Amino acid sequence: MPIYRETVIEVDLDKIAYNMEQIRAMVGKDVKIAAVVKANGYGHGAVGIAPAIMEHGGDLLCVATLTEAIELKEAYPRYPVLIMGLTPTEYFPAVLDYNILQTIDTLAQAKALAALARERGATAGIHIKYDTGFHRIGFPDAPKSYTAIEEISRMEGLKIEGIFSHLVLLDDESNRQQYEAFSRAVRTLKERGVALPCCHLADSIASVDYPRYRMDMIRAGAIIYGLKGFHKGSLDVRQALTFKTKINHITEIKAGEGVSYDFVWRSDRDTRIGTLPFGYADGYPRNLRGKAMVTVRGKQVPVVGVLCMDQCMIDLGDVPKAQIGDEVIIYGDGTGNTLDIQAVSVLAETNKNDIVARLTARPPRIYRKDGKIAEIRTMIGRKSI
Ligand SMILES: *Cc1c(COP(=O)(O)O)cnc(C)c1O
């Protein structure tokens, strides 16, 4: 199958597998690992990476939306999938069709899902979301919520498979307060006879930095992809993604000539301008204008002028041997004078998750295993090799 494009995202499945094994070694065998693959697996391609995750210690796949869950269930009906966000009740039939685990945070949602499940003679698996201070979604931390959750636990057609909360990650003290609030709720509910088989709180950062908050399961996102946001603990994970392209045009310009919209950049010397066939529509941050660097022949060169939607230009003045067809590393792993995702996120004044989650469907995803290409996924098809 042709790739049809020079701008590609390569994903090293061996690194994903390695990262999963490191995470498993860190948490031990008694803590489950929920792998967060929302936003198309943080840009890596959720369907492309799911087997590497599940075959190397993943217990559950977590997504944000129903569409993301259905995409995974269509590809892998047997992998358990949890939607961590809320689904409008009108779409609950699809939740049941695909046997997806749904997050619930009101009595009304629970009643609606239970009624539908009973009609079908089925049982819907749910996780209860409990708000310990983030104030995004979740039952409020109050006695009336205990009563509601207790009622849900007795509903025919539903099975509570877990309960979870999410940390603000402000500081040690606020984390501890949230953990205590969550633990208190879990304890109270269990004392009232509510079965809560899987209590989970920690995301990537919390699961590395605060071992105590791992509880029954961690929800690991960033660390699966080798993105390290933690600062207290340590974990040897490796970036799995490389974003690269090729020079497809070279223009010679004179000192004083400008490049791209509005001539926000003009060259102060005679130079050669290389054109690269990627732009902000591929998910590259447009606000990197004036700051972006890419790597050609082992040398970092500046992206000059305004970034266009589909193309951008680089100054090749310091790489006289550069020619059309040369490989250009946009996001590397930091070796070979490349910028890794951490470095790019600093330049773009955002976080690492944002840099990868914004990668769009347009660049083909090329999956490598044992050093060889194992699968290619493009917007119009896929092929295993
Ligand atoms: C996205 C998300 C995670 C994973 O976050 P990372 O920082 O990437 O580990 C965990 N839990 C919830 C509820 C999320 O939305």
Side-chain angles (χ1 to χ4, degrees):
M1 187 188 69
I3 297 174
Y4 290 132
R5 222 181 148 200
E6 291 159 314
T7 300
V8 299
I9 290 169
E10 277 196 5
V11 177
D12 185 342
L13 294 175
D14 297 328
K15 294 231 174 78
I16 302 261
Y18 176 84
N19 294 342
M20 286 302 299
E21 282 161 11
Q22 293 298 114
I23 296 165
R24 172 56 69 205
M26 173 181 79
V27 301
K29 63 178 182 3
D30 296 332
V31 174
K32 287 186 176 158
I33 302 172
V36 181
V37 294
K38 61 192 178 189
N40 199 22
Y42 290 43
H44 296 63
V47 174
I49 60 174
I53 288 171
M54 297 304 277
E55 288 160 18
H56 292 87
D59 294 293
L60 173 67
L61 297 170
C62 293
V63 295
T65 70
L66 177 55
T67 316
E68 291 174 337
I70 291 174
E71 185 191 24
L72 283 165
K73 280 292 192 180
E74 290 271 0
Y76 312 108
R78 285 206 292 276
Y79 290 164
V81 176
L82 166 68
I83 300 174
M84 300 183 296
L86 302 177
T87 298
T89 51
E90 63 183 299
Y91 302 126
F92 279 174
V95 170
L96 292 171
D97 289 345
Y98 286 94
N99 197 20
I100 293 163
L101 298 163
Q102 176 60 51
T103 291
I104 294 290
D105 80 344
T106 64
L107 197 53
Q109 294 159 14
K111 283 180 177 159
L113 188 58
L116 265 178
R118 281 196 306 270
E119 273 174 31
R120 299 178 180 207
T123 302
I126 62 169
H127 283 233
I128 299 286
K129 185 71 185 276
Y130 199 78
D131 181 9
T132 53
F134 200 110
H135 297 153
R136 185 166 60 181
I137 59 171
F139 281 95
D141 187 23
K144 68 173 193 287
S145 296
Y146 299 157
T147 315
I149 295 166
E150 203 181 334
E151 187 177 336
I152 292 170
S153 74
R154 304 223 174 86
M155 283 180 191
E156 218 181 301
L158 287 188
K159 178 167 190 293
I160 299 179
E161 298 206 352
I163 183 167
F164 70 113
S165 192
H166 195 63
L167 291 172
V168 174
L169 296 173
L170 169 65
D171 55 29
D172 288 355
E173 177 53 21
S174 84
N175 291 339
R176 194 191 57 76
Q177 282 172 13
Q178 282 191 271
Y179 171 73
E180 296 298 340
F182 187 50
S183 300
R184 199 180 318 119
V186 166
R187 208 179 321 119
T188 309
L189 286 164
K190 284 182 173 171
E191 278 165 12
R192 295 205 197 177
V194 178
L196 296 170
C198 182
C199 307
H200 48 114
L201 177 66
D203 64 357
S204 290
I205 292 175
S207 62
V208 180
D209 286 349
Y210 304 94
R212 196 154 78 99
Y213 303 161
R214 290 174 195 156
M215 306 182 83
D216 299 324
M217 180 166 83
I218 63 166
R219 298 187 305 273
I223 50 178
I224 294 172
Y225 310 100
L227 307 175
K228 305 178 184 185
F230 48 84
H231 22 257
K232 290 169 184 283
S234 74
L235 176 69
D236 178 36
V237 287
R238 298 173 185 178
Q239 188 185 305
L241 182 144
T242 306
F243 188 21
K244 60 190 196 181
T245 189
K246 287 178 181 163
I247 298 174
N248 71 352
H249 182 90
I250 293 181
T251 313
E252 293 187 3
I253 66 165
K254 297 271 180 243
E257 288 193 279
V259 168
S260 191
Y261 293 113
D262 298 327
F263 284 167
V264 299
W265 182 86
R266 285 177 189 273
S267 184
D268 55 14
R269 58 177 173 178
D270 293 358
T271 192
R272 293 194 312 150
I273 297 297
T275 301
L276 308 179
F278 79 96
Y280 61 82
D282 295 296
Y284 193 73
R286 188 172 178 276
N287 74 349
L288 280 178
R289 182 230 292 184
K291 296 186 278 188
M293 305 290 279
V294 296
T295 304
V296 186
R297 295 189 177 228
K299 207 168 176 79
Q300 282 186 21
V301 302
V303 178
V304 294
V306 169
L307 281 142
C308 307
M309 189 183 280
D310 321 297
Q311 305 180 72
C312 63
M313 278 64 82
I314 54 176
D315 181 0
L316 291 171
D318 295 331
V319 197
K321 292 210 171 81
Q323 56 189 34
I324 288 172
D326 277 4
E327 182 176 81
V328 176
I329 306 295
I330 310 165
Y331 304 159
D333 65 0
T335 64
N337 218 4
T338 59
L339 292 184
D340 64 9
I341 287 160
Q342 156 70 20
V344 174
S345 72
V346 171
L347 286 180
E349 295 174 57
T350 184
N351 68 9
K352 293 177 281 294
N353 285 357
D354 178 21
I355 295 296
V356 285
R358 65 164 69 202
L359 290 165
T360 65
R362 196 166 72 174
R365 298 326 193 247
I366 296 178
Y367 297 95
R368 286 186 173 276
K369 210 171 170 176
D370 305 325
K372 295 193 295 279
I373 295 178
E375 189 178 27
I376 296 167
R377 289 180 174 269
T378 76
M379 287 178 68
I380 53 173
R382 58 171 287 263
K383 186 181 165 95
S384 298
I385 289 144

